[in-house]
Each structure stands twice: as C-alpha cells, then as structure tokens.
C-alpha cells in the first residue's frame, strides 16, 4: 500500500498526543488520589460525590455543634453539682436547728451561714458560658443576668427575682434531631421544661426556701425550721431530676457524636468508592503509559531517519 | 522513414517530455508539506505512427497531460466529516469554558494507602452552599455568639460573590460565543466569495481544454474550511466546466462564478445571534459546522446552566429572607432582609448586616434575644426540598446542574474523540491516494533523469550520424 510521507509524521504526532495526554491524566490521578476531578470526567460520580460532600459538611457541623453542647452541658452539670452541696449543707443546718436544743447565738450564726449559701446560689444561678457569655439558666432571654436580688441595709439578700423566660433552644445534632441542654432558671407556668431553682411542678423554690430558713433561724422559730427542711427536700428532689436529665442528655450527645463520626467515615468511604483512584492500578497504568510513550518516541525516531535519500549517490 | 531530422525532432521532444517529468516531480517534492496539495503525475503518450513501406513507424512520445491524483468520493467524505468535527469541536470548547467558569472541581491529596483519596474537597458553589448551612447550624447552637454571627455573614458574602462571579463569567462566555458566531459568519463569507471567484478562474483555465490543478487544490481546501464552519451542500454545474455550486440550508449562495448571497449574523431580539442569508433575509437552520455547534451549546446546555444557577440564587434569596426577615436580632431589631438582589447577578448580603453582624435576626421573639428558632429554620433549609428547584434540596439541585453540564461535555468529548478518529482515518486514506511520497518521487526523478540522459545520447548519436553524412561529400 502506498503511504504518503506526511502520513508518518501526522500519525506519529497523533499517537504522541494521545499517549502524553493519558500520561498527564494518570499523573494527576496519582497526585490527587481522585479518578474524578471535573464534572465531565464522570458526571454521575461527580453528582454523588457533591451530595456526599455536602452531607459530610453537615455531619462535621453536627460534630462541632455536639462538642459545643457537651461543653455547655458540662458547665450546667458543674453548676448543679455545686448547688447540690449548698442544698445539702442548708438541709443539715435545718435538721440540726430543728432539734430545738440550739442556742439563739448559734442559730444566728447558722442564719448568716445560710445567707452565704443564698449568695453562692445566686452567683451559680447567674453562671455564664465561658465561650459565648450566654447565661446558663436564663432560658432564651439571657443577655442580662437572669436572677436579680433585693438586699436590706446590711447587704443581705432578702429577695430573688427571675428575669429570664421558660423557653430553651433546640440545637441540631443529626439530620432531623435536635437536643436541648439548657435549663430555665425558673418555671412557674406548670408546663414546659422544669425550672432549676423554682419550679411549680415539683414545688421547688430554692431562694425563697433559703430566705425563709434564714429568717426562721434569725427569729429562733425552730418549729418552722422543720417545715423549711421539708421544703428544701423538694428543692433537692428537683435538682436530682435535673442532674439525671443532664446525664441522659450527655449520653445522647456522646451517642450522637459517635454517630456523626461514623457517618462522616461512611461518607468518606462512599466518596473514595465513587471518585477515588485505585492507586495500585493507576500506578501500573502510569508505568505502562510511560513505557508506551518511550517506545513510540524511540521507534519513530528510528523510522523517520529512513529515506531513499540515504542510499542515493550524491 | 522519418529521417535524421525527424529523429532529431523526436529526441528533442523526448528531452522536453522527460524534462516535464522532472518538473512535475520537483513540484510534488516542493509541495510535500503543503496542506491540501494533491500530487500530480505526467501522462506520457506515444505519438501517432506514420505509415511506411515496411509498416507503421513510431515517432516518439509526448506529454498528453499533467494529471492530479485525487479521489472525488474521499474528498467529499472528508468535506462532510469536517462539518461534523467542526460542530463537536466548537461544542466541546464552549462547554469546556463553561466547566472552567463554574469552577466546580474535586480536590484531594493522595494518601499512601493502596486506594483512597484523603480530604476530598470541592471548589465552587457546592462547598460555599454547604458552608453557609453549616454556619447557620453553628448559629443555632450559639445564637448570641458574635463569632457565629460574623461567620454566617462572611460565608454568605463568599457565596454571594461566587454566584456573582459564576454569573458574570457565564455572561462573558455568552458574549464571546456570540462574537465567535459573527467571526465564523465573516470567515464563511470570505470563503464563499473565494470559491465563487475560483470557480470563474477554473472555468476560464479549462475553457481551452487545460486543467487548473493548483486552483482545484485551493478550491478543495476552501471547501473543506467552509464545511468546518457550516454544513454545505455542493453540486457541479452542468455545462460550466468543473464549477462547484454551494447551497446552505436550501439557499443557493454560490452558482458557478456568481456569488448570489452571503451569510449574516442577526439578533432575533433576545441578544442571541442566529444566522440568515444577507440579501434574502431567510433564517437558516444549519445542521452542522462550528457556527451551529456554538449556537447549540449557547442556547442549550449553557442557557440551562445559567438559568439553573440563577434559579438557585433566587430561591436561596427568597427562602432565607422569608425566614430571617420576620425574626429578631439579640438587640430586638427586626425586618432586616438577609440577602439583597433577585438572582445570581446581584445577590449580596444586606450591607446593614455586613456592617453589623450582631443585627442578624436569629430569634423568633423580641423578648427572647438568645432564642435560636430562626437560626434553626435557616439551618433546616439545607435538608428542605424546594418546589422551585424541581423538588430537590439546594445542594442536590446544584449537584444535578453540575452533573448535567458534565454529561453534555462528556458527550462532546466522546464525539470529538470519535469524529477525530474518523477524520484521521479519512485523511490518511486521502493522503494515501493524493499525498506525496518522497521515496516514490525520488525514484521517479531517477527514471526521468536516466530517460533524459538517454535522449541526450540520441541527439549526440544523430549529430555524429549527420556529421558522417556531410563528410561523405568531401571524402
């Protein structure tokens, strides 16, 4: 068959281009680990990878949310823990004062000790989140301290008022799942989440109970102190309920955190399966492409030197 | 008997004949790299015999014609293949630009393990969109955090800027596709008038029975170039030599040496240029060629792409504003829309929020500054299906848009690969027939050279014989 001189060079150029573009392609697969990089490489894989990536971004965000909530829940728990100490100390005072054999001066000392507890409790009630500055027990109205106090001439707290509300924020921790770690400081509506310090459902009213106890100690009314002790028991019961609630929320958060991590790993696997390059295969192919390219260069360099002109007498 | 002078004449004619052979070989060798050149051969014929008493006596040979070696069927196949290749090449180039403009690629770093990509990320709108929804979710977690508010505003600004950029780049692409229609039309017009005048020149060259090989080459090349731009129908005129008539979309534009009409790009009213005949004003439906490829890519895939991106932006604006506007900021302000603008071209974050992210309205009630209901609804948008987006979520709808562009480009890429293979095959076949082979030409050259040498030897011999004849008298 007749072959034109230029057919040689043209077809060689075509072959070189094909080989070098496949080499280039494989090289970028090896360096990125991805067999799909542009939408046109594999539209279906691109679509599913983009879907997976946005799901993965959501899962990463859930993990971040969960870790913020875990910090928040721990802060709430710490406040509850301190509060438990206060309540049990006050209850001890009430129990020992209620025995009726304590001198008035001792009772007055007790009263001032209770005042200390009231002040500690108020400061716990106005705890802020260390990162966001949000008040832990103000419901969703918490840009100012939720509990304000009235004091007498000597600076003793005689009344505590709740400024917050009874709502709590629900935060997303998984697709369609939200959780709340907030506890309102007080809820006297009889419905919704129970208040930590004052709650009409459980009868808890910590500040008023402590103030009454303090007043009864001051006035030496030891028979009333017995009632105060019973009231403090309601506060303690309410607190136990809240601590248990906090515990179960933290468990939920831990479970959600594991779930988010697992989801993220699963999505990563799915991305790798659809768009990832098989490294072993790609490396072998790259080697093949290099060898072919070298062979083509070498053979064409030899063939192109052949011409009748080499053999004609000059 | 033709006698000594007759023989001398024969030798001289033979010298000329072989010289023509050398000349044609030289012409072939000189054009070995000329695109569109079709090799020529010398057609040598024996001269008529003369009758003698001993029978017919030869009178040598002369050049009958210089032939161009070409295969008309192959040429017309190559020509129509050009239209198909032109169509898909221009589609490919337009769609490739769109893919670059959209800037939606996957990035990753290869890990050392046998098969995996680590940290796969996407560029472009997809990552920006999920980033915004993540920041809404983060805001729902800490609604009064200044950092969270700032993050939402920054991310929304990034997203809006990306929308603006993608839109303006697609606009620019549209403009440059329109101007490539105009350029294509003017190149086609130039080729059309060239072909008409070549028809004329070929006619007059062939009128006296000659052949116009190099003019034919030029015209074939022009026809191939024209086919690349538009799909043409050709016919050979009857009675006017080998003139080629050209019609496009049923409209005759070139008839013999006459250029009857030309092409014109016109705006049908929507700014998207189409093609019609210049004098007749007939809108043309071109079925192939790069001009139609450009028009189809522009009005098909790219128009859909741009409209999808625009719908995505406008739906985002409506949905986010619908939730955010009636909300309350931690300081109790309300009514500040989150986004301004109506689509991808002008979407922007409200400058009030840019200047003061704390005015972001994440609460459902003025009396609950740290309420997160609004932020929660905004975060939920990420998984909410939108009727304006064919019942898909924002991310899924965008991923589908990207995939449909990818599909179109993949088809164009495949077609270009296939058509290139076909074109290469046809061109190889064509050049096997018409291309110059140096080895063959060099061999022919030696043949002509030796024949010339032999004819020269004949002249010398006759000369000696004539000398002998003349000296007979003096001897």
């Amino acid at each position: 068959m007749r072959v034109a001189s230029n057919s040689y060079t043209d077809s060689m150029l075509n072959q070189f281009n094909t080989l070098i573009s496949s080499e280039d392609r494989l090289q970028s697969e090896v360096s990125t680990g991805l067999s799909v990089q542009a939408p046109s490489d594999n539209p279906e894989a691109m679509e599913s990878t983009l879907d997976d990536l946005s799901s993965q971004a959501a899962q990463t965000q859930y993990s971040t949310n969960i870790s913020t909530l875990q910090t928040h829940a721990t802060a709430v728990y710490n406040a509850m823990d301190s509060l438990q100490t206060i309540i049990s100390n006050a209850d001890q005072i009430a129990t020992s004062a209620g025995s009726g054999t304590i001198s008035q001066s001792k009772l007055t000392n007790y009263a001032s000790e209770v005042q200390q507890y009231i002040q500690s409790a108020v400061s716990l009630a106005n705890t802020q989140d260390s990162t966001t500055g949000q008040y832990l027990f103000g419901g969703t109205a918490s840009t100012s301290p939720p509990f304000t106090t009235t004091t007498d001439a000597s600076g003793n707290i005689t009344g505590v008022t709740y400024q917050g509300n009874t709502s709590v924020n629900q935060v997303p921790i998984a697709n369609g799942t939200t959780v709340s770690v907030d506890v309102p400081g007080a809820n006297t509506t009889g419905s919704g989440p129970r208040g930590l310090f004052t709650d009409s459902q459980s009868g808890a009213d910590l500040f008023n109970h402590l103030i009454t106890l303090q007043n009864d100690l001051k006035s030496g009314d030891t028979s009333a102190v017995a009632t105060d002790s019973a009231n403090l028991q309601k506060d303690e019961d309410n607190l136990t309920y809240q601590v248990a609630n906090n515990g179960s929320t933290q468990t939920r958060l831990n479970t959600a955190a594991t779930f988010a991590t697992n989801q993220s790993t699963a999505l990563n696997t799915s991305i790798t399966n659809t768009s990832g390059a098989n490294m072993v295969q790609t490396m072998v192919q790259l080697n093949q492409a290099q060898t072919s390219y070298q062979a083509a260069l070498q053979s064409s360099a030899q063939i192109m030197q052949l011409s009748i002109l080499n053999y004609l007498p000059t | 008997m033709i006698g000594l002078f007759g023989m001398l004449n024969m030798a001289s004619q033979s010298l000329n004949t072989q010289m023509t052979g050398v000349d044609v070989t030289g012409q072939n060798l000189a054009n070995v790299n000329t695109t569109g050149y079709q090799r020529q051969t010398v057609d040598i014929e024996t001269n008529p015999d003369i009758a003698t008493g001993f029978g017919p006596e030869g009178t040598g040979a002369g050049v009958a014609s210089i032939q161009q070696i070409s295969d008309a069927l192959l040429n017309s196949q190559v020509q129509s293949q050009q239209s198909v290749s032109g169509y898909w090449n221009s589609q490919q180039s337009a769609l490739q630009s769109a893919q670059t403009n959209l800037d939606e690629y996957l990035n990753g770093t290869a890990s050392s393990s046998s098969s995996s990509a680590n940290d796969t990320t996407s560029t472009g709108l997809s990552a920006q969109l999920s980033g915004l929804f993540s920041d809404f979710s983060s805001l729902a977690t800490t609604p009064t955090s200044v950092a969270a508010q700032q993050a939402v505003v920054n991310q929304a600004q990034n997203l809006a800027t990306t929308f603006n950029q993608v839109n303006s780049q697609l606009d620019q692409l549209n403009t440059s596709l329109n101007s490539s229609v105009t350029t294509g039309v003017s190149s086609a017009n130039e080729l059309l008038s060239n072909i008409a005048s070549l028809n004329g020149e070929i006619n007059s060259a062939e009128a006296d029975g000659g052949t116009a090989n190099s003019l034919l080459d030029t015209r074939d090349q022009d026809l191939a170039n024209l086919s690349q731009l538009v799909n043409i129908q050709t016919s050979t005129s009857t009675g006017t030599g080998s003139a080629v008539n050209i019609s496009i979309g049923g409209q005759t534009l070139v008839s013999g040496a006459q250029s009857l009409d030309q092409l014109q790009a016109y705006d049908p009213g929507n700014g998207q240029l189409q093609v019609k005949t210049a004098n007749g004003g007939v809108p043309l439906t071109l079925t192939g060629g790069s001009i139609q490829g450009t028009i189809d890519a522009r009005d098909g895939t790219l128009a859909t792409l741009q409209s999808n991106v625009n719908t995505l932006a406008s739906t985002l604006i409506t949905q986010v504003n619908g939730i955010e506007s009636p909300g309350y900021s931690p300081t109790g302000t309300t009514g500040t829309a989150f986004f301004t603008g109506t689509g991808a071209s002008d979407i922007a974050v409200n400058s009030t929020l840019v200047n003061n992210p704390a005015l972001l309205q994440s609460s459902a009630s003025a009396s609950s500054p740290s309420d997160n209901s609004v932020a929660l609804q905004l975060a939920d948008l990420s998984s909410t299906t939108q009727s304006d987006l064919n019942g898909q979520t924002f991310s899924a709808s965008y991923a589908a848009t990207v995939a449909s562009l990818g599909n179109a480009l993949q088809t164009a890429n495949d077609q270009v690969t296939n058509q290139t293979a076909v074109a290469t095959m046809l061109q190889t076949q064509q050049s096997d027939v018409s291309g110059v082979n140096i080895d063959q030409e060099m061999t022919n050259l030696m043949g002509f050279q030796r024949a010339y040498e032999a004819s020269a030897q004949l002249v010398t011999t006759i000369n000696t014989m004539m000398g002998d004849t003349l000296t007979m008298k003096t001897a």
Side-chain angles (χ1 to χ4, degrees):
Chain A
M1 196 188 80
R2 199 180 168 275
V3 176
S5 299
N6 276 352
S7 291
Y8 261 148
T9 46
D10 287 349
S11 77
M12 272 166 201
L13 277 176
N14 277 338
Q15 282 161 11
F16 289 158
N17 283 338
T18 312
L19 286 167
I20 207 147
S21 73
S22 92
E23 239 189 314
D24 182 53
R25 165 91 215 143
L26 289 164
Q27 156 65 28
S28 92
E29 281 187 26
V30 167
S31 64
T32 58
L34 289 168
S35 65
V36 178
Q37 287 162 41
S40 58
D41 291 345
N42 183 342
E44 292 75 24
M46 184 76 182
E47 182 172 7
S48 113
T49 303
L50 285 181
D51 282 341
D52 285 348
L53 280 173
S54 65
S55 303
Q56 202 178 31
Q59 294 301 336
T60 311
Q61 184 56 42
Y62 289 140
S63 295
T64 315
N65 288 0
I66 290 165
S67 114
T68 310
L69 290 179
Q70 280 172 328
T71 317
H72 199 83
T74 310
V76 169
Y77 174 77
N78 289 341
M80 287 176 177
D81 195 35
S82 309
L83 202 58
Q84 196 148 34
T85 317
I86 290 174
I87 295 176
S88 75
N89 287 350
D91 198 30
Q92 269 176 17
I93 289 174
T95 311
S96 106
S99 66
T101 56
I102 311 284
S103 68
Q104 183 56 43
S105 67
K106 188 79 188 266
L107 287 178
T108 313
N109 283 347
Y110 277 155
S112 56
E113 207 176 316
V114 169
Q115 176 62 223
Q116 296 295 321
Y117 292 143
I118 295 170
Q119 286 180 355
S120 307
V122 168
S123 96
L124 281 174
N126 287 333
T127 311
Q128 286 172 281
D129 186 286
S130 55
T131 47
T132 60
Q134 203 181 332
Y135 289 94
L136 295 185
F137 307 113
T140 57
S142 62
T143 49
S144 53
F147 289 90
T148 55
T149 54
T150 44
T151 49
D152 62 12
S154 50
N156 288 334
I157 294 171
T158 56
V160 177
T161 320
Y162 183 54
Q163 308 282 344
N165 61 21
T166 59
S167 309
V168 286
N169 280 336
Q170 296 291 331
V171 176
I173 53 164
N175 271 347
T177 310
T178 58
V179 73
S180 174
V181 295
D182 291 329
V183 182
N187 185 354
T188 54
T189 61
S191 64
R194 278 160 70 162
L196 179 61
F197 296 89
T198 307
D199 182 63
S200 55
Q201 291 176 69
S202 63
D205 192 359
L206 182 64
F207 293 115
N208 282 332
H209 292 162
L210 287 175
I211 290 166
T212 314
L213 173 63
Q214 177 200 229
N215 294 342
D216 290 342
L217 290 170
K218 270 186 192 164
S219 63
D221 185 352
T222 51
S223 62
V225 170
T227 323
D228 297 334
S229 173
N231 281 336
L232 282 174
Q233 193 55 52
K234 289 181 189 167
D235 294 318
E236 190 149 13
D237 289 347
N238 184 44
L239 187 62
T240 310
Y241 162 82
Q242 298 286 11
V243 168
N245 217 1
N246 181 281
S248 75
T249 307
Q250 295 223 28
T251 312
R252 267 187 80 188
L253 288 175
N254 290 340
T255 314
T258 316
F259 182 74
T261 313
N262 290 347
Q263 285 288 301
S264 198
T265 313
L267 287 165
N268 214 19
T269 312
S270 159
I271 290 169
T272 309
N273 287 346
T274 38
S275 299
N278 181 333
M279 286 307 242
V280 175
Q281 197 185 330
T282 313
M283 288 301 285
V284 170
Q285 284 173 341
L286 181 60
N287 266 334
Q288 278 175 339
Q290 275 173 327
T291 314
S292 311
Y293 185 52
Q294 219 163 15
L297 282 177
Q298 217 159 28
S299 62
S300 60
Q302 277 174 355
I303 289 172
M304 279 201 285
Q305 282 172 359
L306 292 179
S307 160
I308 195 170
L309 294 170
N310 300 346
Y311 305 97
L312 290 178
T314 48
Chain B
M1 281 281 283
I2 57 171
L4 279 178
F5 284 103
M7 278 197 287
L8 192 61
N9 203 28
M10 182 169 76
S12 123
Q13 196 191 7
S14 173
L15 283 174
N16 278 335
T17 304
Q18 306 312 327
M19 183 79 96
T20 311
V22 172
D23 181 35
V24 168
T25 308
Q27 162 80 351
N28 283 343
L29 283 170
N31 283 294
V32 65
N33 288 325
T34 309
T35 319
Y37 178 76
Q38 308 189 90
R39 76 189 162 101
Q40 299 172 3
T41 54
V42 187
D43 193 4
I44 299 172
E45 263 180 15
T46 315
N47 288 340
D49 295 335
I50 53 166
T52 65
F54 316 107
E57 188 181 350
T59 55
V63 175
S65 66
I66 298 174
Q67 295 281 339
Q68 196 176 34
I69 306 296
S70 70
D71 181 331
L73 179 65
L74 263 179
N75 285 359
S76 80
Q77 278 180 316
V78 168
Q79 189 184 305
S80 67
Q81 180 58 35
Q82 295 278 3
S83 287
V84 183
S85 299
Y87 181 83
W88 286 110
N89 277 327
S90 66
Q91 282 247 341
Q92 184 192 40
S93 118
L95 295 175
Q96 221 146 31
S97 304
Q99 179 169 281
T100 313
N101 289 343
L102 199 59
D103 193 28
E104 195 64 60
Y105 294 104
L106 295 181
N107 283 333
T109 44
S111 74
S112 52
S113 73
S114 62
S115 139
S116 95
N118 276 345
D119 312 325
T120 308
T121 53
S122 59
T123 55
L125 280 170
S126 167
Q128 306 274 13
L129 253 178
S130 37
L132 180 66
F133 291 127
S134 289
D135 285 337
F136 280 147
S137 177
S138 180
L139 183 71
T141 314
T142 54
T144 53
S145 155
V146 178
Q149 292 164 337
Q150 186 76 55
V152 166
V153 170
N154 286 352
Q155 184 58 38
Q157 275 185 299
N158 287 344
L159 175 64
T161 313
T162 311
F163 265 122
N164 300 156
Q165 275 171 355
V166 166
N167 187 67
S168 89
Q169 275 177 322
L170 290 178
D171 272 346
Q172 273 172 24
L173 178 61
N174 192 63
T175 312
S176 75
L177 291 180
N178 273 331
S179 75
S180 98
V181 169
T182 317
T183 320
V185 164
S186 68
S187 308
N189 283 339
E190 202 178 310
L191 289 167
L192 281 169
S193 55
N194 281 355
I195 292 167
S197 60
L198 281 167
N199 274 344
E201 287 169 40
I202 291 168
N203 274 346
S204 39
E206 290 180 347
D208 49 0
T211 51
N213 288 341
S214 60
L215 293 174
L216 288 171
D217 279 349
T218 314
R219 192 181 62 185
D220 279 348
Q221 193 60 32
D222 281 354
L223 282 170
N225 289 342
L226 182 61
S227 297
Q228 208 161 22
L229 294 166
V230 284
N231 189 19
I232 56 171
Q233 292 82 45
T234 55
S235 63
T236 318
S237 306
T238 45
T240 45
S242 55
V244 170
N245 302 331
I246 298 172
S247 59
I248 295 175
Q251 301 294 311
T252 307
L253 302 186
V254 172
S255 172
Q258 262 187 307
S259 177
L260 297 181
D261 207 340
Q262 291 221 308
L263 299 177
Q264 192 180 35
Y266 76 105
D267 177 2
N270 57 2
Q272 309 293 41
L273 296 182
Q274 301 285 341
V275 180
K276 63 174 181 180
T277 52
N279 300 334
V282 183
L284 294 174
T285 310
L286 312 169
T287 49
S290 66
I291 297 178
Q292 190 58 31
T294 305
I295 290 175
D296 284 355
R298 182 196 67 193
D299 296 349
T301 310
L302 295 183
T304 313
L305 173 68
Q306 197 161 13
S307 121
N308 283 351
V309 169
N310 201 39
T311 311
L312 188 71
S314 65
T315 312
L316 186 71
I317 296 171
T318 323
Q319 291 297 320
V320 169
N321 285 355
I323 294 170
E324 201 264 356
S325 282
Y328 294 87
S329 75
T331 51
T333 58
T334 184
T336 312
F338 187 79
F339 283 120
T340 57
T342 53
S345 63
D346 57 357
I347 182 175
V349 178
N350 194 331
S351 57
T352 316
L353 292 177
V354 174
N355 296 333
N356 187 4
L359 293 177
L360 200 56
Q361 295 151 190
S362 53
S363 161
S365 146
S367 58
S368 308
S370 62
D371 173 59
N372 72 346
S373 323
V374 169
L376 196 60
Q377 284 184 58
L378 290 173
D380 280 347
L381 276 180
S382 73
S383 51
T384 314
T385 55
Q386 303 292 338
S387 55
D388 288 344
L389 302 173
N390 296 325
Q392 288 178 306
T393 63
F394 285 103
S395 299
S397 152
Y398 177 68
T401 301
V402 170
S404 85
L405 170 68
N407 264 323
L409 179 53
Q410 196 185 34
T411 307
N413 284 342
D414 289 350
Q415 286 291 344
V416 167
T417 311
N418 294 345
Q419 300 308 330
T420 308
V422 175
T424 308
M425 205 178 67
L426 285 173
Q427 273 158 7
T428 308
Q429 282 181 11
Q430 194 187 30
S431 84
D432 285 348
V433 174
S434 308
V436 177
N437 180 310
I438 294 177
D439 294 348
Q440 184 186 17
E441 298 303 331
M442 288 309 291
T443 316
N444 286 347
L445 185 63
M446 282 194 297
F448 288 123
Q449 194 186 352
R450 289 297 177 200
Y452 186 88
E453 234 176 273
S455 301
Q457 189 62 52
L458 182 62
V459 173
T460 316
T461 309
I462 293 167
N463 185 37
T464 316
M465 285 166 75
M466 280 181 154
D468 289 345
T469 309
L470 289 173
T471 47
M472 276 165 53
K473 184 186 157 200
T474 50

